[in-house]
Amino acid sequence: DDTIYDVVQNTLNVSYSPLSDNGKPVDMAESQNSLFVVSNDILYRVNAAALTTPAMPATVTPITVGVIADLVVILAKNTNRVYWSENDGATWGAAAFQAIQAFPNRLVNLLVDHQELWLLGNQHIQVYVVGDDPDAPFVAVTGGMIEMGLAAKHGATRMDNSIFFLGRNKDGECLFYRVNG
């Protein structure tokens, strides 16, 4: 529904609402101090017992969220852009984005695994790490390109020390994959 419930040892601790609910799955990520939820293309932040919607640049519609190396990361809807916040998601600068050139296609989802940022597009998948450039922090991993796209937004997961995803090849054929290495 439109509420986040904080349950501690089978007891409702606190609840946060309302969230915009379109009936579709939400995306969530956590940092040291905050919980982030993207529901119905809106980013929510739970921090210090408060639910807020951080101010985003006007043209940015978040579709998913992740946390890597103290950066809160979102993907912008129908783009190849990754936006980041360096202050635990409290504020988002209009210039704090990186266009991912490996994607002539659009980004669909992201996963963070083993301090790697997996950017999943509808035609390719590319793995990144956080580098030293504060203006373009994401660096492509050499050999980290997969010539396969993600067939469904929520068709990827981390499990058994691996990434599993429902992939789609250039001909539109779908198959489940397990990434190993």
Side-chain angles (χ1 to χ4, degrees):
D1 62 9
D2 67 347
T3 305
I4 297 173
Y5 299 95
D6 182 356
V7 178
V8 178
Q9 297 179 343
N10 296 326
T11 303
L12 179 62
N13 187 34
V14 66
S15 62
Y16 304 96
S17 65
L19 277 70
S20 179
D21 179 18
N22 62 357
K24 295 182 180 179
V26 301
D27 291 290
M28 295 191 293
E30 78 283 346
S31 68
Q32 286 285 97
N33 303 308
S34 302
L35 172 69
F36 300 94
V37 178
V38 175
S39 179
N40 198 20
D41 298 337
I42 300 170
L43 177 67
Y44 296 92
R45 178 177 182 246
V46 177
N47 178 278
L51 176 69
T52 60
T53 52
M56 306 291 297
T59 60
V60 177
T61 301
I63 60 169
T64 190
V65 62
V67 176
I68 182 170
D70 296 327
L71 298 174
V72 181
V73 181
I74 61 157
L75 299 183
K77 189 174 193 171
N78 296 324
T79 72
N80 67 342
R81 289 184 174 184
V82 177
Y83 287 79
W84 69 89
S85 170
E86 297 177 296
N87 63 356
D88 199 31
T91 60
W92 295 79
F97 74 88
Q98 188 171 341
I100 304 301
Q101 299 304 322
F103 289 92
N105 56 327
R106 64 181 169 82
L107 291 168
V108 177
N109 207 341
L110 67 81
L111 288 175
V112 176
D113 186 59
H114 294 91
Q115 288 303 303
E116 295 174 331
L117 178 64
W118 289 68
L119 297 179
L120 302 111
N122 62 346
Q123 295 177 15
H124 299 94
I125 297 171
Q126 177 69 52
V127 182
Y128 289 80
V129 294
V130 176
D132 297 328
D133 184 349
D135 296 324
F138 306 109
V139 179
V141 172
T142 303
M145 170 70 81
I146 298 173
E147 298 288 334
M148 186 75 52
L150 188 63
K153 180 180 189 285
H154 292 99
T157 191
R158 299 172 304 195
M159 184 172 56
D160 193 29
N161 215 23
S162 298
I163 302 281
F164 291 81
F165 70 96
L166 176 60
R168 176 181 26 225
N169 68 17
K170 62 181 175 52
D171 299 321
E173 297 173 357
C174 296
L175 197 63
F176 279 101
Y177 293 89
R178 177 182 185 177
V179 179
N180 187 4

